[in-house]
């Protein structure tokens, strides 16, 4: 009971700081003249890295989207990570790419063997790397080695960026280029939206249950959580779906760590560690107005595999960086973010399960009144529901992507329904992920995609 009270209080504190910053974010999102930067030579050039494994259904639409961003100078580097489907063939045929005889490799981060690099002068900003399978981190490192520009951005192959997303991030970076080492973007669920030519034309909520629950989760995590954590410079993760990084510091920490899921959290922890140990002033920021739309798992099996993988990655990162926990040397990361993540994220399932079993035992043994159990359940539900409602209020105050009244009602309904089964499944999946970690299971799990056309028809 005390644990739930403490974690709820901390969630509300983080949410409070999100509200504290939302007015500035709204003004920045609404009135910032970021579009004037689209043709400016002062905007730093960016290399977009797109790891792709068995993405034949979404990769063409993704690249089509990335090739038409409102940004002055950038390149798109797609990394085919030994796909067993037609991912490589789809891109080669779509853009008429041919094998480069003597490609210029600039970096030297160790990766699995690169089989070839493809290019077409008619699309000078597009490169395709074909390499042996090594995982997402290995693919990103291969992209870094080929990249030409000082900033890199990691983007999932099943995601679509809004046309102004990258320029909004660049504007935030240009406010403080010396200290900013990474910026995370806002990730939203595209299931239910109408997609045309690599662009979200009509925003709508998912019709299926599993993606709908995830929409509520993402709003709470990104708007209700990451805005607040960014205020403290305590972000522990920049989503692998969309993030911007200074390449020199990513190289300085040895690139992405391969061999297990959780590479997006690992690279941020490594950057925090490096900057603090070398006493370099820095910031890891969050730009909620830079939006990336992604396909969410729409079946139980795919979703459970994803969440188990996240659980494995989180636990491994905490164990490998346990020296940072409660270590004043690492400032906010050591004294707040890491302890919070260990106690209230990694160990959360065990406190909740044992606490609930203890309360049930007390009632069954007549050591307490059953009313206590009911009150505890109601308080737990109410606090969680209010946190979700708080994230929805932030959405309505600053962004209003969902303009229909029916969408707002649906979000309020699912914010309550997720505590009846879905929330408990999340606890189970995290425990199962921890068990897989102890079994040294580093598999990615099956992630079946649909083409954006099929998504439109389903919507």
């Amino acid at each position: 009971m005390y644990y739930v009270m403490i974690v709820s209080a901390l969630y509300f504190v983080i949410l409070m700081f999100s509200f504290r910053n939302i007015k500035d974010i709204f003004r920045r999102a609404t009135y910032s003249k970021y579009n004037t930067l689209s043709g400016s030579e002062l905007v730093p050039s960016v290399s977009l890295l797109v790891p792709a494994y068995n993405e034949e259904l979404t990769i063409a639409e993704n690249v089509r989207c990335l090739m038409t961003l409102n940004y002055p100078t950038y390149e798109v580097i797609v990394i085919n990570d030994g796909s067993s489907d037609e991912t490589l063939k789809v891109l080669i045929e779509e853009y008429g790419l041919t094998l480069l005889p003597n490609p210029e490799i600039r970096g030297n981060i160790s990766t699995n063997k690169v089989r070839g690099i493809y290019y077409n002068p008619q699309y000078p900003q597009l490169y395709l790397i074909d390499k042996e399978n090594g995982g997402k981190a290995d693919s990103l490192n291969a992209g870094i080695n080929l990249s030409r520009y000082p900033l890199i951005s990691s983007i999932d192959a099943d995601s679509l960026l809004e046309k102004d997303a990258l320029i909004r991030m660049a504007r935030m970076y240009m406010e403080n280029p010396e200290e900013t080492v990474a910026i995370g973007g806002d990730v939203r669920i595209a299931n239910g939206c109408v997609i045309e030519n690599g662009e979200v034309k009509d925003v709508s909520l998912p019709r299926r249950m599993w993606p709908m629950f995830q929409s509520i989760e993402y709003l709470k995590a990104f708007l209700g959580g990451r805005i607040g954590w960014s205020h403290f410079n305590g972000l522990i993760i920049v989503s692998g779906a969309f993030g911007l990084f200074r390449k020199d510091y990513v190289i300085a920490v040895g690139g992405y760590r391969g061999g297990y899921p959780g590479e997006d959290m690992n690279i941020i922890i490594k950057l925090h560690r490096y900057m603090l140990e070398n006493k370099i002033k820095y910031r890891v920021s969050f730009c909620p107005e830079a939006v990336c739309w992604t396909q969410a798992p729409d079946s139980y099996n795919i979703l459970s595999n994803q969440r188990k993988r996240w659980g494995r990655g989180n636990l491994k990162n905490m164990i490998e960086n346990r020296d940072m926990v409660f270590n004043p040397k690492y400032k906010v990361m050591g004294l707040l973010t890491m302890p919070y993540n260990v106690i209230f994220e990694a160990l959360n399932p065990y406190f909740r399960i044992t606490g609930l079993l203890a309360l049930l035992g007390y009632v069954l043994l007549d050591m307490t009144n059953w009313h206590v159990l009911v009150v505890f359940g109601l308080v737990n539900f109410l606090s969680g529901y209010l946190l979700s409602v708080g994230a929805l209020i932030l959405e309505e105050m600053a962004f209003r992507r969902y303009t229909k009244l029916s969408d707002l009602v649906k979000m309020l309904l699912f914010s309550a329904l997720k505590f009846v089964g879905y929330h408990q499944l999340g606890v189970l999946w995290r425990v199962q992920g921890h068990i897989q970690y102890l079994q040294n299971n580093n598999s990615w799990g099956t992630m079946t995609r649909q083409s954006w056309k099929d998504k439109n028809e389903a919507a």
Side-chain angles (χ1 to χ4, degrees), residues 47-225:
S47 297
L48 305 180
L49 311 181
V50 189
Y53 177 73
N54 291 350
E55 300 284 359
E56 64 178 358
L57 297 178
T58 60
I59 191 63
E61 199 82 15
N62 173 274
V63 173
R64 195 175 299 120
C65 167
L66 296 178
M67 296 282 281
T68 57
L69 298 178
N70 298 329
Y71 204 85
T73 306
Y74 68 99
E75 61 183 357
V76 179
I77 302 175
V78 182
I79 308 98
N80 177 51
D81 190 38
S83 298
S84 58
D85 67 355
E86 301 296 325
T87 300
L88 183 68
K89 182 180 178 181
V90 165
L91 282 178
I92 288 175
E93 292 181 352
E94 180 79 16
Y95 292 97
L97 304 173
T98 57
L99 195 64
L100 275 176
N102 296 300
E104 182 182 356
I105 306 297
R106 299 166 183 82
N108 56 7
I109 302 174
S110 178
T111 68
N112 282 10
K113 183 180 178 181
V114 173
R115 296 184 290 220
I117 297 174
Y118 295 80
Y119 181 74
N120 182 349
Q122 293 182 1
Y123 303 96
Q125 67 196 113
L126 176 63
Y127 293 85
L128 171 60
I129 299 174
D130 181 35
K131 60 179 288 292
E132 294 180 355
N133 182 260
K136 185 176 180 180
D138 193 71
S139 297
L140 288 168
N141 288 336
I144 291 171
N145 287 340
L146 181 65
S147 64
R148 293 179 290 170
Y149 298 136
L151 296 180
I152 57 172
S153 178
S154 60
I155 300 167
D156 280 352
D158 64 337
S159 301
L160 301 173
L161 295 188
E162 293 189 350
K163 300 302 181 186
D164 60 2
L166 198 60
I167 200 70
R168 287 181 181 272
M169 270 198 175
R171 186 209 52 74
M172 176 176 278
Y173 172 80
M174 292 171 69
E175 288 179 355
N176 194 356
E178 294 300 319
E179 295 182 13
T180 303
V181 297
I183 303 174
D186 185 19
V187 180
R188 293 177 179 251
I189 303 300
N191 306 53
C193 299
V194 176
I195 312 294
E196 293 179 5
N197 299 318
E199 186 176 358
V200 176
K201 291 293 186 181
D202 182 41
V203 175
S204 187
L205 290 171
R207 293 189 176 183
R208 296 186 178 183
M209 176 181 68
W210 298 116
M212 187 61 219
F213 280 129
Q214 293 168 81
S215 293
I216 300 301
E217 274 188 319
Y218 277 47
L219 280 177
K220 179 183 173 185
F222 283 88
L223 301 187

Side-chain angles (χ1 to χ4, degrees), residues 339-353:
Y340 172 90
N341 205 70
V342 170
I343 299 171
F344 300 112
E345 295 293 338
L347 298 180
N348 182 281
Y350 308 103
F351 281 106
R352 289 189 177 274
I353 291 171

Side-chain angles (χ1 to χ4, degrees), residues 21 25 29 55 100 106 135 141 159 208 211 218 225 251 253 260 273 278 323 332 351 380 436:
N21 291 308
I25 292 170
E55 300 284 359
L100 275 176
R106 299 166 183 82
N141 288 336
S159 301
R208 296 186 178 183
Y218 277 47
I251 293 174
V253 300
Y260 66 95
R273 180 189 286 274
N278 289 278
D323 62 305
V332 172
F351 281 106
N380 194 19
Q436 290 179 347

Side-chain angles (χ1 to χ4, degrees), residues 391-433:
L392 295 181
I393 294 173
L394 290 170
E395 160 68 16
E396 290 299 305
M397 288 175 62
F399 307 108
R400 295 186 61 83
R401 286 295 199 281
Y402 306 100
T403 57
K404 304 171 188 173
L405 179 60
S406 59
D407 283 345
L408 179 59
V409 172
K410 189 175 181 180
M411 287 190 287
L412 289 171
L413 175 62
F414 272 83
S415 294
L417 289 178
K418 75 185 183 73
F419 290 97
V420 186
Y422 183 77
H423 184 71
Q424 290 74 21
L425 282 173
V427 172
L428 173 64
W429 292 331
R430 196 174 301 181
V431 172
Q432 290 176 324

